[in-house]
Amino acid sequence: MPTPVVMPQMGESIAEGTIVRWIKKVGDTVDRDEPLFEISTDKVDAEIPSPAAGVLTEITAQEGETVAVNAVVATIGEAGAVASSAPSAKNAADAAHAAGPAHAAASTQSQGDGQPAAHGPAAPASTSHPVDADTPTPRTQRAPAAESRARDTSARANGSAASDDPSKDDLRRQKSSPLVRRIARDNNVDISQLHGSGIGGRVTKHDILGYLGEEHEPPTATKPDSSAGPATQRAPVYQPGERVDIKPLSIIRKKIAEHMVFSRRTSAHVHSVFHVNFSTVERIRQQKKSDYERLGAKLTYMAFIAKAVVDALRQHPIVNASLDGDNIVYKKDINLGVAVALETGLIVPVIKNADERNVLGLSRAIADIAERARNKQLKPEEVHGGTFTITNPGQFGSQFGMPIINQPQVAILGVGTIEKRPVVIDDAIAIRPMAYLTLGYDHRLIDGAVGDQFMASIKQQLEQFDPEQV
């Protein structure tokens, strides 16, 4: 019996995923749990294993296509039962053109080099959810709202109130993720007035951020004042004839961009920088690192920093909280996110219940999630639910940075490079391993005094670290 391969649900709020790469091709033999294809979602990039052993007989969703959860993307059959793969891009486009403009738009959206079209959201892969040929880009989201109001007016003129049929609006709200609904609530946006570009009309984060971006743009109905000079006009990105190489944003790069812009728009960012002496930590590392190596672990500075952060979060629970409208949500669990740099971008896997681990446990956990993040082996639950994040640009030599908060958290710690510097100790100049630690925090919830007290706790523990804790 053929075994269907479906798009998995990588998290409770995930409704779709984008196929980044097929690791196997039609006709290849695959073993059960062998990596079959790679996907990207709002939460994680991951390699999806084969649900059964056999031969990949058919691929129905191509690279770059966005597919609804539980939609069939391929088929695993017995050896010798290879079916023809999904139609080529040209054939699919021809078929879609014959079926109508809506299908033509859906088939051409994902053509090119395998990436979604750069001018708008990726098209759904399945033809059971065709893309409306009139679907606007995020910069024109007002038009559907005006059309909706016009339909409501027409309905009332025909004696039927718009409120008589709320099911479509309710359905849209149900299909929108909790993040989208929170953005809408925080910005007083009625989701029912937005035209969703997601599967089945779902309003995506891209849709609502595009709508909010258009809300804040200056009106363009009036002709710009030429006397103001060229400074008031947007300069072109490149000039005709320039030597440029244009490539579409990768899926993960798009998601990072959306998340960072959303965070800057949401939180009132403030940063505090502390200079920390790592002499005590370095002495303990040298004394204990051979013991750790015998246990199969590497004793790094990051493990000490993580332990100091966890203890400081216990003392200052407001830094481990989140804002939900007018409510403060205090998180009883400390779930520590650790940013990992990948070739394609940045991902933040989470160490759940980090406060229950000692330095050895944190060392092992940090090494494990970093390794699996680089190999795309993280599970969905390992990239969400974080309550505080540590990012370490210092590994590349950065003195310090001003990190952007990882929403919906309210603080993030940036670690600068740890290097020997001249410092004054007991009125004498000495050479010590020093580093700048930067706390980025949301001033809506955390005052400067609280942020500095939190950082002072981290500084004190690192400079007076108890060897018995290692």
Side-chain angles (χ1 to χ4, degrees):
M1 287 287 293
T3 302
V5 181
V6 301
M7 175 63 69
Q9 184 164 18
M10 307 295 282
E12 60 181 359
S13 64
I14 300 300
E16 60 193 17
T18 300
I19 296 179
V20 177
R21 178 173 65 98
W22 279 99
I23 300 171
K24 297 292 185 177
K25 62 181 184 295
V26 172
D28 285 353
T29 301
V30 295
D31 294 327
R32 181 181 176 87
D33 296 329
E34 184 179 5
L36 190 59
F37 61 104
E38 181 182 331
I39 69 168
S40 181
T41 73
D42 288 344
K43 297 293 186 183
V44 66
D45 287 1
E47 292 181 350
I48 306 304
S50 174
V55 174
L56 181 59
T57 60
E58 184 179 20
I59 292 176
T60 56
Q62 302 301 314
E63 293 180 357
E65 293 186 1
T66 300
V67 183
V69 166
N70 294 326
V72 177
V73 298
T75 303
I76 303 293
E78 298 178 357
V82 178
S84 60
S85 64
S88 66
K90 182 179 183 303
N91 292 340
D94 293 343
H97 181 74
H103 290 274
S107 64
T108 58
Q109 183 103 4
S110 59
Q111 292 181 15
D113 62 353
Q115 295 290 346
H119 59 273
S126 172
T127 56
S128 63
H129 301 284
V131 174
D132 187 349
D134 296 326
T135 299
T137 61
R139 296 175 63 85
T140 59
Q141 291 292 347
R142 284 182 186 271
E147 292 172 2
S148 177
R149 289 192 293 271
R151 287 195 297 268
D152 292 345
T153 303
S154 175
R156 286 192 294 270
N158 292 327
S160 60
S163 59
D164 292 340
D165 185 22
S167 58
K168 291 183 179 179
D169 294 345
D170 291 343
L171 186 58
R172 271 186 189 153
R173 290 190 184 93
Q174 292 170 7
K175 289 185 177 180
S176 299
S177 69
L179 174 60
V180 170
R181 293 196 295 272
R182 184 168 65 82
I183 298 173
R185 183 176 65 249
D186 291 346
N187 292 275
N188 296 319
V189 175
D190 184 357
I191 292 181
S192 66
Q193 297 298 305
L194 300 185
H195 186 90
S197 63
I199 299 297
R202 184 174 69 92
V203 176
T204 67
K205 182 171 67 172
H206 187 79
D207 296 331
I208 193 162
L209 289 181
Y211 176 79
L212 291 172
E214 188 231 11
E215 284 276 289
H216 291 85
E217 288 180 357
T220 57
T222 59
K223 184 177 179 180
D225 183 6
S226 58
S227 64
T232 61
Q233 301 179 13
R234 179 180 175 184
V237 177
Y238 63 93
Q239 299 289 346
E242 280 190 36
R243 292 170 54 83
V244 297
D245 185 14
I246 302 174
K247 296 181 180 180
L249 285 175
S250 65
I251 295 168
I252 189 172
R253 194 73 257 165
K254 284 183 180 179
K255 296 183 186 304
I256 291 172
E258 291 174 359
H259 196 61
M260 294 299 97
V261 171
F262 169 64
S263 182
R264 294 291 292 186
R265 182 184 290 125
T266 300
S267 296
H269 280 70
V270 181
H271 294 84
S272 293
V273 182
F274 275 55
H275 207 194
V276 179
N277 186 338
F278 277 80
S279 296
T280 300
V281 169
E282 175 60 21
R283 184 174 63 254
I284 296 173
R285 281 185 69 240
Q286 296 303 322
Q287 293 172 351
K288 302 281 188 177
K289 67 178 184 180
S290 59
D291 295 338
Y292 271 59
E293 289 171 356
R294 282 194 293 270
L295 296 171
K298 187 176 180 181
L299 186 56
T300 64
Y301 288 114
M302 184 57 69
F304 289 89
I305 295 170
K307 184 68 171 72
V309 165
V310 166
D311 291 346
L313 289 172
R314 283 201 196 102
Q315 299 174 43
H316 307 278
I318 191 70
V319 185
N320 197 54
S322 289
L323 267 176
D324 184 17
D326 294 331
N327 297 320
I328 303 174
V329 181
Y330 289 92
K331 308 293 182 65
K332 295 184 178 180
D333 295 328
I334 296 177
N335 299 330
L336 194 62
V338 180
V340 177
L342 308 177
E343 292 182 2
T344 55
L346 192 72
I347 194 169
V348 186
V350 177
I351 302 172
K352 298 293 179 66
N353 302 116
D355 52 322
E356 298 177 2
R357 300 174 184 263
N358 57 15
V359 175
L360 175 60
L362 289 169
S363 296
R364 286 173 167 167
I366 292 169
D368 174 60
I369 59 175
E371 178 67 20
R372 289 192 292 114
R374 296 186 181 101
N375 293 328
K376 300 180 180 179
Q377 296 175 344
L378 292 173
K379 300 175 183 177
E381 61 271 17
E382 292 177 316
V383 290
H384 65 85
T387 59
F388 186 92
T389 295
I390 301 176
T391 181
N392 183 23
Q395 63 183 311
F396 305 111
S398 173
Q399 294 291 309
F400 61 87
M402 301 296 172
I404 297 176
I405 298 167
N406 186 16
Q407 298 294 326
Q409 299 166 27
V410 294
I412 181 172
L413 182 73
V415 180
T417 187
I418 301 174
E419 61 184 4
K420 291 183 177 180
R421 299 185 189 127
V423 292
V424 176
I425 298 178
D426 296 331
D427 294 331
I429 296 177
I431 304 298
R432 295 290 186 270
M434 305 292 295
Y436 292 104
L437 302 186
T438 303
L439 180 70
Y441 55 98
D442 191 339
H443 212 342
R444 297 178 305 163
L445 185 60
I446 302 174
D447 292 331
V450 176
D452 288 346
Q453 289 167 7
F454 175 78
M455 288 298 290
S457 297
I458 294 176
K459 176 181 173 73
Q460 181 181 18
Q461 174 150 348
L462 289 172
E463 293 184 345
Q464 303 174 17
F465 210 96
D466 183 0
E468 296 299 323
Q469 290 187 323
V470 183

